[in-house]
Amino acid sequence: MGKKGKKEKKVKGAEKTAAKMEKKVSKRSKKDEEDLEALIAEFQTLDAKKTQIIETSCPPPSPRLNGSLTPHPEKDELILFGGEYFNGQKTFLYNELYIYNIKKNTWSKIDIPNPPPRRCAHQAAAVPQGGGQIWIFGGEFASPDGEQFYHYKDLWVLHLQTKTWEQIKASGGPSGRSGHRMTYCKRQLIVFGGFHESTRDYIYYNDVYTFNLDSFTWAKLSPSGTAPLPRSGCQMTTNQDGSVVIYGGYSKQKVKKDVDKGTVHTDMFLLKQEGADKWVWSRLNPSGVKPTPRTGFSGTLGPNNRILLFGGVYDEEEEESIEGDFFNDIYMYDMGKNRWFTGQIKGPKTEKKKRRRGNKQAEAESNSESGEVGAQKPPEPVEVIKEIVAEDGTVMTIKQVISGSATSESEEEDSVEEEDDEGARSPAVEPCPRSNTMIAAKQGVLYAYGGMFEVGDRQFTLNDLYSLDLHKMEEWKVLVEMDPKTQEWLDESDSEDEEEDAEGAEGGDEEEEEDEDSEDSDEDSHPPVEPQEKYPDYLARTEEYWVKLARANMGPDAKEKKVLKVAQAMAKTFYELKD
């Protein structure tokens, strides 16, 4: 009894500490969020000008990461929403909606009135009802300089049949956050973890919420057992009986003033429902070849009840710098067998015959090709160096770590092949190592779009698209090649003119037209700044206009004091842009 009482007291103490931290973060982030609300409201004003649904064929979306790529629940389509792009000086956020037609290998852009505000690091889940729905929760908006963040706690549904957005307002849901995970199972959405960050503080979560799709109500779960530590960016999947599997993720904590310590999680947990209102956490101890430590990996549910992980990055902290090892490998977790194994790409079939050195070796090769791993300890990973030349002549050196099992398999096959070159395999095509890729599985095929990797201080954001047949595991296919012209990077020393030119990186022709419309809208709709006019004088002259605009965006229920703050922030933002 004594031990149990101490344990319960310890848990309650941790909950109190977490509640205090959340209150502290919320208080400090309020000012930042009010500033960003003005910018968000400005974008929503532009979106409000859209009054009809317009669907147009278009080139592939611009480079981005941390968007959502979701399979249409009823059609051979993938739905891409949101994401972010950084060009070295400025952060761009998106709320565009793109549809990828799998059979035709074509993209289309759909402009729908009143969409969710621009965001990244949100979550999307497909629901097979009413012609198909995509549910969106949370995410973040960043200031152009990437120094301030606004974390959403809103819930939206995209009705695919009617092509309409609807915001679902229900109380009692999760607090604002990004980097969380959400999945759909048995007529409910399940949300876990994530983080909230202000200019000076941050907090990571390990709470669990459900949203009932019949009653449209939120409920916070209180599972028993040992829960995962707070984290973001983990893998979350539901299995066939409705239980939730959690793997990996990232968190950080302060060890002393101005010093943070990051943790890359590699543990696994199962959240199981054992009654109407009873949920239980338990730790999983899988066998097999587990993924090497990493963050920024992408996950989805593949065929045969297997979880699939792709790519990611592992940052090695040096004394004065951080060097990241990026990955493009695949790991699979068999939920039925509680076993990890590497997803080996076999290469295209050839007519070349191999000499077998006995049945034992043939069996070993067969097991290796199927992705199963025996009791034998796998060899150490091998590092491979690649070089890519960008459009501007920059040489990108990419360090890739390949699992030892893949290397040993390749060497073993080389040693038993015929000595002549007839029927040799063609060079392998594969996505370059990357993190924060948008992936989706549809009818046994994996699709991987975009993401990013770093070379030194430079970030490369991608817009290529690959596919891989998960049943055959023979080869990656390039559906959209990376366009070197999109690899634009502005150093701090670059001129302001170059920065303005880089705004074209937000998208294709449609995005440029939107930018032009935005500028015209600013000049025509908002009160102009008079020559040599100071901000206090401009605000005094135009405050009534900005208050009306803020009220229109924030709704009639917003408090007058907050409306005034947002109005003044909007006025200041416009003044500084025009000054």
Side-chain angles (χ1 to χ4, degrees):
M1 290 293 292
K3 287 185 178 179
K4 186 177 180 182
K6 286 182 180 179
K7 189 174 182 182
E8 289 177 352
K9 190 175 180 181
K10 189 175 181 181
V11 170
K12 288 181 180 178
E15 289 176 351
K16 283 184 178 180
T17 302
K20 286 181 181 178
M21 178 60 73
E22 184 168 0
K23 189 175 181 180
K24 184 179 178 184
V25 170
S26 177
K27 186 176 180 181
R28 290 189 173 180
S29 65
K30 197 171 182 180
K31 174 67 169 61
D32 296 344
E33 292 188 348
E34 286 176 353
D35 292 342
L36 290 181
E37 279 176 353
L39 196 53
I40 294 169
E42 182 74 14
F43 283 128
Q44 285 184 294
T45 301
L46 299 175
D47 288 331
K49 296 180 183 297
K50 300 174 183 177
T51 57
Q52 58 183 341
I53 301 169
I54 302 175
E55 183 170 358
T56 55
S57 298
C58 65
S62 59
R64 64 192 63 200
L65 64 150
N66 288 330
S68 57
L69 186 66
T70 313
H72 193 300
E74 298 181 5
K75 297 182 180 180
D76 288 331
E77 295 177 344
L78 305 177
I79 294 93
L80 175 66
F81 173 75
E84 64 177 313
Y85 171 78
F86 179 61
N87 68 1
Q89 291 185 350
K90 189 174 181 180
T91 300
F92 299 80
L93 277 297
Y94 305 108
N95 65 345
E96 304 163 316
L97 186 69
Y98 289 95
I99 305 293
Y100 175 71
N101 187 304
I102 293 174
K103 291 183 177 179
K104 297 179 181 178
N105 188 25
T106 58
W107 288 94
S108 60
K109 182 182 179 184
I110 305 181
D111 288 313
I112 300 176
N114 301 311
R118 303 178 183 212
R119 67 189 64 203
C120 66
H122 55 278
Q123 281 289 280
V127 175
Q129 71 176 35
Q133 298 174 341
I134 304 294
W135 288 76
I136 304 285
F137 174 75
E140 70 182 45
F141 180 87
S143 60
D145 62 6
E147 295 294 327
Q148 293 176 296
F149 303 95
Y150 180 93
H151 296 267
Y152 295 103
K153 58 179 179 180
D154 51 354
L155 180 66
W156 295 76
V157 58
L158 171 64
H159 301 280
L160 293 168
Q161 189 173 42
T162 58
K163 294 183 173 65
T164 54
W165 282 108
E166 179 186 2
Q167 184 175 6
I168 307 299
K169 295 185 178 180
S171 60
S175 57
R177 63 189 64 195
S178 59
H180 54 288
R181 291 297 178 258
M182 182 173 76
T183 186
Y184 164 73
C185 183
K186 295 184 177 181
R187 301 296 304 152
Q188 63 183 359
L189 303 173
I190 305 175
V191 177
F192 168 78
F195 74 100
H196 185 288
E197 184 174 12
S198 66
T199 306
R200 292 184 293 173
D201 287 305
Y202 54 82
I203 182 172
Y204 285 79
Y205 300 103
N206 65 345
D207 48 6
V208 185
Y209 287 81
T210 61
F211 182 78
N212 189 300
L213 292 172
D214 295 318
S215 63
F216 277 29
T217 55
W218 284 106
K220 183 176 182 179
L221 304 184
S222 299
S224 59
T226 303
L229 293 173
R231 66 191 64 196
S232 69
C234 63
Q235 166 61 21
M236 176 178 174
T237 312
T238 50
N239 62 20
Q240 293 174 334
D241 68 3
S243 298
V244 177
V245 177
I246 300 287
Y247 168 76
Y250 175 82
S251 64
K252 62 181 180 180
Q253 60 183 8
K254 290 188 181 297
V255 291
K256 55 183 179 180
K257 188 176 180 181
D258 299 328
V259 178
D260 298 326
K261 181 183 179 182
T263 300
V264 178
H265 300 282
T266 59
D267 46 5
M268 290 191 76
F269 293 84
L270 181 73
L271 178 61
K272 189 172 183 178
Q273 187 172 13
E274 295 186 348
D277 298 315
K278 184 180 180 182
W279 294 75
V280 180
W281 280 113
S282 61
R283 185 183 291 270
L284 291 174
N285 295 299
S287 61
V289 181
K290 303 172 186 177
T292 56
R294 65 189 65 196
T295 61
F297 57 79
S298 305
T300 190
L301 181 62
N304 303 319
N305 202 31
R306 290 172 172 176
I307 296 174
L308 184 144
L309 261 58
F310 169 77
V313 60
Y314 182 75
D315 291 325
E316 296 179 1
E317 297 186 13
E318 304 292 340
E319 288 186 3
E320 297 182 356
S321 63
I322 297 178
E323 182 179 353
D325 289 336
F326 288 80
F327 306 96
N328 64 350
D329 50 358
I330 293 175
Y331 284 87
M332 294 184 181
Y333 172 72
D334 190 313
M335 288 191 280
K337 298 179 181 179
N338 190 26
R339 183 182 183 86
W340 280 104
F341 59 93
T342 55
Q344 300 295 345
I345 308 299
K346 303 173 186 176
K349 290 183 178 179
T350 65
E351 296 181 359
K352 175 182 287 191
K353 296 181 180 179
K354 301 178 183 178
R355 292 197 304 268
R356 300 293 182 185
R357 294 197 292 266
N359 293 334
K360 187 175 181 180
Q361 178 166 333
E363 182 181 348
E365 289 184 1
S366 175
N367 288 340
S368 178
E369 289 180 351
S370 67
E372 297 291 334
V373 180
Q376 180 180 347
K377 184 179 178 181
E380 293 294 322
V382 175
E383 186 176 283
V384 176
I385 305 296
K386 295 182 180 181
E387 288 189 350
I388 298 176
V389 181
E391 182 76 5
D392 60 3
T394 302
V395 178
M396 301 173 276
T397 302
I398 304 172
K399 184 163 63 173
Q400 176 184 358
V401 179
I402 301 177
S403 62
S405 55
T407 308
S408 63
E409 177 188 1
S410 175
E411 290 173 353
E412 184 174 301
E413 288 184 350
D414 288 344
S415 67
V416 296
E417 288 179 353
E418 298 290 347
E419 293 182 1
D420 59 68
D421 294 332
E422 183 180 354
R425 292 184 178 184
S426 57
V429 174
E430 60 184 7
C432 70
R434 63 189 68 193
S435 69
N436 304 91
T437 308
M438 292 144 281
I439 70 171
K442 181 73 173 178
Q443 295 184 345
V445 178
L446 175 67
Y447 297 88
Y449 181 83
M452 60 83 74
F453 65 90
E454 296 171 344
V455 179
D457 295 331
R458 178 171 176 172
Q459 175 177 311
F460 292 84
T461 308
L462 307 165
N463 68 334
D464 48 3
L465 177 64
Y466 286 81
S467 69
L468 173 67
D469 189 319
L470 296 173
H471 294 293
K472 298 179 180 178
M473 293 294 291
E474 289 181 355
E475 60 182 333
W476 284 98
K477 292 183 179 179
V478 185
L479 302 176
V480 176
E481 292 187 274
M482 181 180 72
D483 184 0
K485 293 179 182 178
T486 64
Q487 297 306 314
E488 195 164 20
W489 185 257
L490 301 178
D491 295 319
E492 293 181 0
S493 59
D494 292 334
S495 68
E496 293 182 2
D497 292 339
E498 288 176 313
E499 183 176 357
E500 290 172 4
D501 292 342
E503 292 188 9
E506 284 197 33
D509 296 337
E510 295 87 358
E511 193 68 33
E512 291 176 7
E513 290 171 7
E514 184 177 317
D515 289 344
E516 292 170 3
D517 291 342
S518 170
E519 293 171 5
D520 294 341
S521 171
D522 288 344
E523 293 172 2
D524 298 337
S525 302
H526 302 326
V529 178
E530 301 294 341
Q532 308 301 319
E533 186 175 25
K534 294 182 179 180
Y535 172 67
D537 298 329
Y538 174 77
L539 179 62
R541 180 171 61 84
T542 64
E543 187 174 51
E544 184 179 355
Y545 166 83
W546 292 106
V547 168
K548 287 181 179 178
L549 183 60
R551 171 64 69 187
N553 281 286
M554 298 174 70
D557 298 331
K559 293 182 180 179
E560 196 65 38
K561 187 177 179 181
K562 192 168 186 180
V563 171
L564 182 61
K565 282 188 175 182
V566 170
Q568 291 173 348
M570 290 174 73
K572 188 174 183 181
T573 300
F574 178 75
Y575 176 85
E576 291 174 348
L577 287 172
K578 293 299 177 182
D579 186 24

